[in-house]
Amino acid sequence: MSTGRRSAGLLLFRVVEGVGERDVEVLIGHMGGPFWAGRETAAWSVPKGEYGPEEDAETAARREFVEELGVPVPPGEWIALGESRQRSGKTVTVWALEAELDVTSVVPGTFSMEWPRGSGVQREFPEMDRFAWCTPELAAERLIVGQRVFVGRLRAQVLGTAASPDA
C-alpha cells in the first residue's frame, strides 16, 4: 500500500428507465466552504474522506458517508469501483451501492477553519453543502476530474456498457 494520502468513499446510485434504455443516476455532494462557494463545474465529490494506516478503506468509506451525510449507510451489496489517483496525488478508493436516499434528510457534517484567512476568526462550514442525484453526463461536468472515472466504471458494471473516462 502506498504511503501517500488516501481517501475512501461510497457512491450511491439508482437505476432509472429512460426512453428505451436503462441508465444510472448517482448521488454526489457539492464541497462546502468558501473555496467552493459559487463554483459548480468540478466542485462536487463522491462522499469520501481520508484515512490512515490504522483503518481499512471500507471502514473509512462507511465512516465518511455517515459523517458527511449525517444518515446511516443504506443496506445492500457494495460494488468495488477501484482506485483513482487525484491531481493532488491522493489515491481515492470508491465503492458503489444501489439505494434510494431523500436528499432532504441529509444533515451534513461540519469543519472549522480560519476565515477570512489571517483574521484569527474560526468559522464553521458544512463538509458538503448540498447533494443531488445526477445523470452520468451531469456528474461528469460537476465531479472533480479525478473522480469522474468512477461513474464510467459504475455504468460498465451495472449496465454492461464500455466505461468512458468522463461518464
Side-chain angles (χ1 to χ4, degrees):
M1 180 164 113
S2 165
T3 57
R5 293 176 34 226
R6 300 184 66 80
S7 276
L10 184 59
L11 180 64
L12 292 191
F13 75 95
R14 59 190 181 191
V15 176
V16 295
E17 298 294 331
V19 180
E21 62 183 43
R22 294 175 32 168
D23 209 337
V24 296
E25 289 182 336
V26 293
L27 182 70
I28 59 176
H30 184 268
M31 292 182 275
F35 179 76
W36 302 103
R39 294 179 58 189
E40 284 296 310
T41 302
W44 293 65
S45 176
V46 171
K48 62 164 191 52
E50 289 191 22
Y51 65 98
E54 72 289 345
E55 187 176 32
D56 66 80
E58 191 170 335
T59 301
R62 183 176 300 279
R63 173 182 48 77
E64 287 294 330
F65 183 91
V66 172
E67 284 180 12
E68 294 198 353
L69 283 84
V71 297
V73 173
E77 182 182 337
W78 288 30
I79 300 169
L81 298 180
E83 296 182 341
S84 176
R85 190 170 180 93
Q86 312 295 275
R87 286 183 181 162
S88 66
K90 181 189 303 182
T91 300
V92 177
T93 304
V94 171
W95 286 266
L97 172 63
E98 185 174 6
E100 281 292 333
L101 181 71
D102 178 358
V103 294
T104 63
S105 69
V106 171
V107 181
T110 60
F111 69 96
S112 295
M113 68 179 280
E114 181 184 27
W115 191 258
R117 288 194 176 124
S119 68
V121 176
Q122 289 289 315
R123 291 192 46 203
E124 197 167 277
F125 298 96
E127 289 194 41
M128 293 184 150
D129 56 23
R130 63 189 185 278
F131 295 85
W133 286 100
C134 297
T135 64
E137 295 76 20
L138 185 55
E141 207 176 281
R142 288 181 167 179
L143 282 169
I144 63 170
V145 174
Q147 293 180 21
R148 294 174 183 173
V149 66
F150 296 119
V151 178
R153 291 175 186 172
L154 171 65
R155 288 175 96 189
Q157 287 199 39
V158 172
L159 306 172
T161 60
S164 73
D166 291 337

